[in-house]
Amino acid sequence: YNKVSGFVEKMREDNKKLKALGFIKNNKISNKFLPKLSFDFFSENDLNWYKKPDNKYVKDFINSDFDLLINTDFENIFPLKYITAKSKAYLKAGLFNEQNSKYFDLMIKMDKSKDLDEFFTQVIHYLSIINK
């Protein structure tokens, strides 16, 4: 949460518009994760019988025409993969994994540490090369 918040703040300082959607791996969202400006959350309570997320925040996120979706899921969590697959984002970036090739346009290969700060650094680096 703190690393994603830091990334969001950094991008805002660069005048980027962002929307973050987080998944809480239990049934109750604590006060720490209450929605704030540009952050929404969903939990296991928001998953249907097939583990597909089903709430207003998720539906709005999926139906938004984002320029870029950055998936920070390092654990292959199905609801996050589902959102990525259904998203209308023009470009989708995420962690390199053979299974992910059908979901992402840009994949970042990370070593075993899978550090989120390093992942963000690599995504920004490669996007800056692509977007000359």
Side-chain angles (χ1 to χ4, degrees):
Y1 175 80
N2 292 334
K3 289 184 179 192
V4 172
S5 293
F7 179 75
V8 167
E9 289 305 314
K10 182 177 183 248
M11 293 295 102
R12 284 209 156 153
E13 289 170 5
D14 292 341
N15 296 317
K16 307 285 189 221
K17 292 192 307 185
L18 301 168
K19 184 69 176 172
L21 180 66
F23 176 60
I24 309 301
K25 282 188 180 181
N26 67 44
N27 293 331
K28 188 171 182 182
I29 297 175
S30 75
N31 290 343
K32 175 182 176 182
F33 300 113
L34 285 177
K36 62 182 190 176
L37 189 62
S38 78
F39 270 84
D40 291 319
F41 297 92
F42 68 103
S43 71
E44 289 182 346
N45 279 343
D46 299 308
L47 304 180
N48 68 18
W49 181 260
Y50 301 103
K51 300 293 183 191
K52 293 179 183 176
D54 185 26
N55 79 9
K56 180 188 179 339
Y57 298 132
V58 172
K59 288 176 185 173
D60 290 347
F61 190 88
I62 287 172
N63 290 314
S64 295
D65 292 327
F66 297 118
D67 291 333
L68 171 66
L69 181 148
I70 301 173
N71 181 315
T72 61
D73 175 23
F74 288 176
E75 299 175 25
N76 287 316
I77 297 170
F78 177 77
L80 298 176
K81 199 170 280 195
Y82 175 84
I83 290 168
T84 301
K86 292 291 192 179
S87 172
K88 294 181 179 178
Y90 296 107
L91 181 72
K92 300 173 187 180
L95 188 65
F96 175 81
N97 177 320
E98 291 294 330
Q99 296 173 328
N100 289 344
S101 64
K102 57 187 162 199
Y103 304 109
F104 299 125
D105 304 301
L106 172 66
M107 293 192 294
I108 305 297
K109 190 169 188 175
M110 300 284 295
D111 63 13
K112 300 274 187 230
S113 70
K114 294 184 180 174
D115 178 68
L116 192 54
D117 290 327
E118 178 62 22
F119 175 74
F120 285 138
T121 299
Q122 293 298 318
V123 168
I124 297 303
H125 170 74
Y126 287 108
L127 289 174
S128 68
I129 292 171
I130 292 169
N131 191 23
K132 287 279 184 198

